[in-house]
Amino acid sequence: MSKVLLLTFAAYFLTALHNGKGWVVLTEETNHVNTNGDPNRLPDTTEPVSYELRIKPDIKNNLFSGEVEIVVRAKQYTFEVILNSKNLTVSSVSWFQDLKTNRTTAIKDYVYEHRNERLVIKLEKLILPPRLYKFTVVFNGIVRDDFTGFHKYIYDSGNSSRWIALTQFKPIYARRAFPCYDEPKFKTPYTISISRQSHHSALSNMPLKRSEFNQKNDWVWDHFETTKPIPTYLVAFMVSDFDRNSINSDHIAMHTRKEYIEHTKYMMGKAPKLLNGVEKFTQISYMLPKLDLVGVPLLNAYSMENWGLNSYEEFYVTLSDDSQTEDKIQGSMAILHEILHQWFGNMVTAPWWDNEWLYDGICNYLNYYLTSVIEPAWDMEESFVENVHQYALSWDEYDDTHPLTFAVSTPEEIVNAFDTIASDKSAALLRMLECVVGEYYFRTSVNKYLNDYAYMVAGPRDLWETFDYVLYDADYNIDDDVTVFKYMDSWTNQPGYPLITVTPTSDGFFKASQKRFSLSYPPQTTDDIKWFVGLTYTTEAEIDFEEVTPSVWLKPTDEHAIMPVLEDSGWIIVNIQSSGFYRVNYDEKNWKLLLIQLITKPDRIHVLNRAQIIDDVLHLCRAELVPYNYYTSLLEYLLMEDHVTPWNTAVTGLSSIMDAIRRYPTEYSMFKEYTKGLADILYDKLSKNQIHNNSTKIGWSKLLTWTCNMGNSRCIKSASTHFNRWMKGNEIPAEMEEAALCVGMKKGDIVAMSKILKLYKTTRSPSQKKIILRALACTENVRTLLSRLDLMRLDVANRGSLKSFKTICENVVTTPEGVKALIGFLSSKLDTIRSTPTSDDLNKYIAVMYSALAPKVTTDDDIIIIDRIRRSVKSADLKAVLDDIYQKIESNLLWMERDHKKIMKAVIKM
């Protein structure tokens, strides 16, 4: 039988099925479930080849209209083409044109599947693989105001209001702007056209190719060059009346509102250095003809890595030489992070959202790494350990945590997958990998990966195998039976991390064993998870804190590993510079030797290991692995500590105990007095300018505020003096600003509160805004504050203010009065929460409040209310989040019930 007859027979047979009862079964099996068996994924019957997208916004009426011409390739015989679509009205779908024969196939129907966010286009006849077909969908939608999809933002500019309209499609919001294959594996070229009025301008991923002017209605169509193959979430366009700044027509330009364009000079000088830093690291030149950096005039605006069109909070592109160092650090890192994504995530893309953590982690780690190369005085290595490494450890120490790679399917699961585990643990593991293979092979492997998978999709396995190929070619052996694939697979596909227990052997050596570390109380799992662990160590006899490449390996099949050291070598420290993602415990003798060293000459131990020891010991106490007098004895050494990083680690730990022990008023009072003694030591050091962090005072503000909050009289007096001078028009020193404003808020003066609120609304510095938010939370009249801050109005909840809302909540609950006030505020919304389904954004606000309260609630009355709120929510997704948080409340209560007397016994012995 000829090929033509076979095709004719197949077409006839399947058409008959289509018109009969048997087709229902066939479509369910082949067209509505993809090859992975996931009904939430698009089927593998077709794939996009190109898009031509035309969008015409009508901002005045909050609408837009559009049409998209899609060329698809049939991969299977099918009567259906399925796209993602949400909140769009489709007015027509054209007939399908076979690009080889120009014959057309009629549309039988098109329907919207609300549950799966899909547009199902049903055809009268089969389309055949591997033919290409072209069709057009005409649609319209709403210009959103929730910072997703194609949305607008209205902002004040002098005496008038202005707007910008722009896109935010990550992770799955492109479908809210046009029907598309809204999955990251579909990387497709786009030709984009945007309509605008003549007094506005439009931007997109690529440079402008040509403009069409309509003199009759004063509208313009801007047609942009075709993009490289990109996933839908990186498609970007924007309409505004912003001004543009570039240097010598360079391909880098900054865009912001007219009144701030002159303030972009500092970052215009910085941005090429940041871009060049990534080019040097990757050995791959920037791959697009232009890079637009847009400053969005929104507090706590998201940053977004759209290929060729990055968006940032406005302040970060309008810094100056006189800006505070902390603002310069935040600004440089914000811009560098999205520039890094042009290579990691844009040029090479994860096939699905369960692996997106890889690119977030790479960008997070390289952001610190490259910033430290460009600005070595900023101490980014120490900042990484404190803000990323330690933070990730604290998130990942409960039994119910999830591995980096875990299945996500529904839209809600995809959105919620972007958490601290994804961004911070992944970054810490990549730093750990660099320490294992060394800087040269790390960079070589990453660069080969970029070249091998350029403009394609690739995941973690592809990266680990690339490392192994590079090491094999270089004849570099990590250790027997240790490959990068095995090593990283054990860390990314399992939750949690190990505790390494180091004990002496009878023959003068040390042995190390591993067990999953957990603070869940009572334990929720008995999983015997083990990892490939590279051990680094040094001893008192041969101090070397620079060698971070593991010299001993502890493997999942090993009962223990031996670390050969000389007899009488003194103390041993494992995990040099916190290079490994694990905690360490020692025998009593070694802990005592380390304590003696810290009390006598702490500088002999690397600053990152001093911070590590403080952090590890507290968590070991909580896990009942060492007594609390180890911790209180260790804190004595702070009298000798002149570096900000160990102090910040100590303050974080002391604050967590104080929050939990508040349930027991007598013990709380005693522990606060003990902590005040440490605060007095710290203030002496700060006032004498002893605390250092190389050339900057980064971190001082937090420490000064803590000493004041702990009741140090000299700190309060100094802060009060600065505040009173500020009320008369004088400036406050940057490091004292938060402490001074906090003291001012505690006075309860409405005039002072009004002036601080005014400063909050007028300052452009994000770091100053955060300082003011934290200071506002110091008031003892919390209810008045909540009534005056729009940030606390749930009826105006939006993504733009969520970070500020979180800052307020987390600082309001630092006092018992604030906890009561926030519980009262949340419980006042209980009837609303019970009676009506809440929106996605409102769910986030409720979760933020609940999370802020979780470590702070202590009284039975408060716990009853918190439990009632959890049980009252309608949303199943929100209830699951609150249930997880509540488990940590119960765990903290059980921890303190078990340990509050032990803690006080250790304190009293001091």
Side-chain angles (χ1 to χ4, degrees):
M1 189 180 291
S2 71
K3 186 176 180 181
V4 173
L5 286 174
L6 278 172
L7 288 173
T8 304
F9 177 77
Y12 175 82
F13 175 71
L14 290 174
T15 302
L17 277 176
H18 177 44
N19 294 325
K21 188 174 179 181
W23 179 244
V24 175
V25 176
L26 185 61
T27 55
E28 284 180 353
E29 291 179 351
T30 62
N31 278 24
H32 288 275
V33 179
N34 91 327
T35 54
N36 294 322
D38 185 349
N40 291 289
R41 301 280 293 274
L42 292 174
D44 290 327
T45 51
T46 62
E47 64 182 4
V49 174
S50 68
Y51 292 81
E52 288 191 19
L53 175 64
R54 294 168 61 91
I55 296 287
K56 183 176 182 179
D58 178 5
I59 302 300
K60 183 178 179 180
N61 295 307
N62 296 325
L63 299 171
F64 67 89
S65 58
E67 62 178 60
V68 60
E69 180 185 274
I70 309 177
V71 176
V72 299
R73 176 183 290 108
K75 298 176 68 178
Q76 299 177 26
Y77 294 96
T78 182
F79 281 103
E80 294 182 336
V81 171
I82 302 177
L83 310 173
N84 291 116
S85 179
K86 182 178 175 66
N87 301 139
L88 298 173
T89 301
V90 174
S91 55
S92 69
V93 179
S94 73
W95 287 22
F96 276 51
Q97 179 185 2
D98 182 335
L99 293 186
K100 182 176 182 180
T101 65
N102 287 327
R103 292 201 297 265
T104 57
T105 300
I107 304 300
K108 182 176 183 180
D109 194 9
Y110 54 88
V111 296
Y112 179 64
E113 293 182 352
H114 179 79
R115 182 175 62 87
N116 291 329
E117 301 181 358
R118 290 174 171 179
L119 175 67
V120 180
I121 302 169
K122 302 185 177 185
L123 306 173
E124 290 286 358
K125 297 180 180 179
L126 279 169
I127 57 175
L128 313 177
R131 293 289 183 86
L132 301 182
Y133 296 86
K134 180 172 69 175
F135 66 99
T136 301
V137 182
V138 180
F139 57 91
N140 58 73
I142 297 172
V143 177
R144 306 176 68 90
D145 59 4
D146 64 354
F147 305 94
T148 69
F150 185 38
H151 64 278
K152 72 174 182 179
Y153 175 67
I154 297 174
Y155 62 93
D156 292 329
S157 180
N159 296 323
S160 62
S161 293
R162 306 224 301 265
W163 56 263
I164 59 171
L166 67 162
T167 56
Q168 168 60 34
F169 289 164
K170 189 176 182 180
I172 49 171
Y173 302 137
R175 65 189 67 175
R176 300 183 179 190
F178 63 100
C180 56
Y181 291 76
D182 199 11
E183 294 185 5
K185 73 175 182 179
F186 296 113
K187 300 185 70 170
T188 315
Y190 284 77
T191 303
I192 298 171
S193 299
I194 305 296
S195 181
R196 60 174 174 84
Q197 290 179 288
S198 61
H199 63 281
H200 287 119
S201 62
L203 295 172
S204 188
N205 303 91
M206 296 295 286
L208 181 67
K209 184 176 183 180
R210 63 185 176 89
S211 296
E212 289 183 62
F213 293 85
N214 188 326
Q215 301 293 341
K216 294 181 181 180
N217 60 13
D218 196 36
W219 278 79
V220 181
W221 274 101
D222 284 336
H223 304 285
F224 296 91
E225 294 179 12
T226 301
T227 71
K228 291 180 179 292
I230 59 175
T232 50
Y233 77 87
L234 292 175
V235 173
F237 43 87
M238 168 183 159
V239 179
S240 73
D241 60 356
F242 279 7
D243 274 2
R244 179 180 187 271
N245 182 18
S246 63
I247 299 176
N248 299 324
S249 299
D250 200 337
H251 61 291
I252 300 178
M254 290 193 171
H255 304 259
T256 189
R257 47 179 156 166
K258 300 176 187 298
E259 56 265 41
Y260 288 139
I261 198 66
E262 286 299 314
H263 299 288
T264 59
K265 291 180 180 178
Y266 174 81
M267 288 311 299
M268 272 305 302
K270 192 86 172 178
K273 296 177 184 177
L274 300 174
L275 182 65
N276 183 251
V278 184
E279 289 178 323
K280 279 187 174 181
F281 178 86
T282 61
Q283 296 297 300
I284 298 174
S285 298
Y286 179 60
M287 58 296 294
L288 297 187
K290 62 93 174 175
L291 175 60
D292 288 315
L293 310 177
V294 177
V296 182
L298 170 64
L299 173 68
N300 291 321
Y302 50 79
S303 294
M304 182 58 201
E305 68 268 20
N306 304 310
W307 213 351
L309 181 59
N310 295 178
S311 59
Y312 305 94
E313 185 173 340
E314 175 185 75
F315 179 80
Y316 292 137
V317 300
T318 57
L319 292 163
S320 70
D321 287 315
D322 297 330
S323 296
Q324 294 181 18
T325 301
E326 187 172 355
D327 284 337
K328 290 180 179 179
I329 292 174
Q330 290 182 8
S332 295
M333 293 188 71
I335 288 175
L336 178 57
H337 186 92
E338 308 313 329
I339 289 176
L340 280 160
H341 266 301
Q342 309 303 293
W343 283 258
F344 302 98
N346 295 12
M347 189 176 80
V348 183
T349 306
W352 183 242
W353 299 110
D354 55 356
N355 289 146
E356 178 62 18
W357 60 262
L358 176 64
Y359 300 104
D360 282 346
I362 290 175
C363 292
N364 195 4
Y365 172 55
L366 290 181
N367 200 358
Y368 282 84
Y369 173 86
L370 291 178
T371 301
S372 69
V373 172
I374 297 167
E375 297 285 354
W378 286 353
D379 282 338
M380 299 311 298
E381 179 85 357
E382 293 166 24
S383 180
F384 181 90
V385 169
E386 180 184 342
N387 298 323
V388 178
H389 176 90
Q390 288 183 1
Y391 189 57
L393 285 173
S394 68
W395 260 73
D396 204 28
E397 61 191 2
Y398 292 93
D399 291 346
D400 61 353
T401 189
H402 64 80
L404 274 170
T405 300
F406 70 104
V408 294
S409 179
T410 67
E412 293 79 11
E413 289 171 345
I414 292 169
V415 171
N416 291 331
F418 295 84
D419 61 6
T420 297
I421 300 295
S423 63
D424 289 349
K425 179 179 180 179
S426 58
L429 294 185
L430 286 159
R431 173 176 176 260
M432 182 173 72
L433 175 59
E434 189 201 21
C435 293
V436 168
V437 302
E439 183 177 357
Y440 173 78
Y441 290 120
F442 182 86
R443 179 185 295 200
T444 302
S445 301
V446 168
N447 294 351
K448 176 175 170 53
Y449 174 77
L450 289 174
N451 280 291
D452 288 353
Y453 295 99
Y455 310 106
M456 299 165 62
V457 294
R461 182 188 185 107
D462 302 305
L463 179 58
W464 312 147
E465 289 179 347
T466 301
F467 268 86
D468 284 327
Y469 293 150
V470 168
L471 297 181
Y472 178 82
D473 288 343
D475 198 21
Y476 182 100
N477 184 39
I478 297 175
D479 196 72
D480 293 341
D481 199 36
V482 178
T483 63
V484 170
F485 175 77
K486 283 184 178 181
Y487 175 54
M488 295 305 291
D489 195 58
S490 75
W491 287 92
T492 60
N493 288 332
Q494 299 183 131
Y497 57 86
L499 169 70
I500 304 302
T501 301
V502 178
T503 54
T505 64
S506 58
D507 53 0
F509 294 150
F510 284 93
K511 65 179 180 181
S513 59
Q514 65 166 301
K515 183 177 177 62
R516 182 179 177 182
F517 183 76
S518 174
L519 285 189
S520 291
Y521 183 73
Q524 300 170 19
T525 179
T526 56
D527 292 342
D528 188 23
I529 299 175
K530 291 189 176 181
W531 295 260
F532 283 91
V533 184
L535 301 174
T536 56
Y537 63 93
T538 189
T539 65
E540 185 178 7
E542 296 184 1
I543 294 177
D544 180 5
F545 283 99
E546 300 307 314
E547 183 53 72
V548 293
T549 302
S551 56
V552 173
W553 281 87
L554 178 59
K555 301 167 189 175
T557 54
D558 295 337
E559 184 178 341
H560 60 260
I562 298 296
M563 292 179 289
V565 296
L566 298 173
E567 290 191 29
D568 302 322
S569 58
W571 48 255
I572 185 172
I573 288 179
V574 174
N575 200 11
I576 293 174
Q577 294 190 40
S578 287
S579 53
F581 195 71
Y582 52 83
R583 299 193 186 279
V584 186
N585 190 15
Y586 306 100
D587 66 307
E588 182 179 5
K589 177 184 176 182
N590 199 67
W591 278 123
K592 287 182 177 179
L593 290 173
L594 288 175
L595 178 60
I596 292 169
Q597 181 66 80
L598 288 169
I599 291 175
T600 54
K601 290 184 178 180
D603 288 346
R604 294 193 73 197
I605 296 176
H606 194 283
V607 63
L608 293 179
N609 285 103
R610 302 201 300 269
Q612 172 212 357
I613 289 169
I614 293 172
D615 192 44
D616 281 356
V617 169
L618 174 58
H619 289 81
L620 293 171
C621 291
R622 287 196 57 178
E624 293 190 287
L625 296 170
V626 299
Y628 278 97
N629 66 297
Y630 279 30
Y631 184 61
T632 53
S633 297
L634 177 65
L635 293 181
E636 284 188 74
Y637 111 85
L638 291 173
L639 185 64
M640 302 287 291
E641 182 58 75
D642 292 335
H643 200 288
V644 70
T645 301
W647 269 106
N648 273 330
T649 302
V651 166
T652 299
L654 288 165
S655 298
S656 68
I657 294 176
M658 194 168 297
D659 290 336
I661 209 169
R662 192 178 286 149
R663 181 172 176 83
Y664 303 93
T666 301
E667 286 82 357
Y668 172 71
S669 178
M670 295 171 64
F671 190 78
K672 186 173 182 180
E673 189 63 28
Y674 161 74
T675 307
K676 180 181 175 298
L678 293 172
D680 292 343
I681 294 171
L682 176 58
Y683 185 77
D684 283 343
K685 291 177 175 291
L686 292 167
S687 61
K688 294 175 183 176
N689 211 32
Q690 290 177 341
I691 292 289
H692 61 84
N693 196 29
N694 280 358
S695 62
T696 70
K697 290 186 177 180
I698 301 167
W700 275 41
S701 178
K702 173 184 174 181
L703 294 178
L704 275 167
T705 303
W706 181 75
T707 60
C708 282
N709 287 340
M710 292 312 304
N712 179 273
S713 58
R714 287 185 296 141
C715 180
I716 294 170
K717 182 179 179 181
S718 175
S720 184
T721 299
H722 283 297
F723 180 77
N724 292 336
R725 289 176 180 170
W726 178 74
M727 289 293 289
K728 295 176 181 178
N730 295 302
E731 295 291 324
I732 306 173
E735 66 269 17
M736 180 57 76
E737 184 173 31
E738 183 176 342
L741 295 179
C742 179
V743 167
M745 285 300 297
K746 286 181 177 178
K747 293 181 178 181
D749 187 339
I750 297 298
V751 175
M753 181 187 289
S754 298
K755 184 171 180 179
I756 296 172
L757 279 168
K758 183 179 179 181
L759 177 63
Y760 170 77
K761 292 175 181 178
T762 56
T763 184
R764 296 185 53 252
S765 164
S767 60
Q768 188 179 44
K769 283 184 182 292
K770 291 172 185 174
I771 284 170
I772 297 167
L773 285 172
R774 292 194 294 262
L776 285 167
C778 294
T779 182
E780 294 181 0
N781 192 355
V782 178
R783 293 184 186 276
T784 300
L785 173 66
L786 299 188
S787 69
R788 298 191 63 178
L789 270 180
D790 282 347
L791 291 171
M792 304 302 290
R793 287 175 51 206
L794 295 189
D795 58 319
V796 295
N798 62 57
R799 180 183 295 252
S801 63
L802 184 61
K803 290 183 182 178
S804 300
F805 184 87
K806 184 172 183 285
T807 300
I808 281 284
C809 290
E810 288 176 347
N811 287 277
V812 160
V813 297
T814 56
T815 65
E817 297 82 7
V819 172
K820 288 287 185 186
L822 192 58
I823 287 176
F825 179 78
L826 184 55
S827 61
S828 70
K829 305 292 180 182
L830 193 55
D831 289 341
T832 303
I833 294 170
R834 279 175 173 157
S835 60
T836 58
T838 51
S839 67
D840 289 345
D841 280 323
L842 188 54
N843 286 347
K844 292 184 178 74
Y845 278 70
I846 293 169
V848 162
M849 279 189 284
Y850 208 86
S851 181
L853 286 165
K856 311 289 182 175
V857 291
T858 55
T859 69
D860 291 335
D861 290 342
D862 292 344
I863 293 166
I864 289 171
I865 296 173
I866 285 290
D867 189 32
R868 188 183 305 146
I869 292 167
R870 172 177 67 106
R871 297 174 185 277
S872 300
V873 298
K874 293 273 186 182
S875 164
D877 291 325
L878 177 60
K879 188 174 188 307
V881 170
L882 300 191
D883 285 346
D884 286 343
I885 296 172
Y886 191 79
Q887 285 182 4
K888 291 180 174 57
I889 294 175
E890 291 182 322
S891 183
N892 276 342
L893 291 173
L894 291 170
W895 162 46
M896 201 44 60
E897 181 180 358
R898 182 195 71 195
D899 285 1
H900 69 281
K901 292 189 181 298
K902 297 179 186 176
I903 293 170
M904 293 321 304
K905 184 177 180 181
V907 168
I908 291 169
K909 283 187 176 180
M910 298 297 297

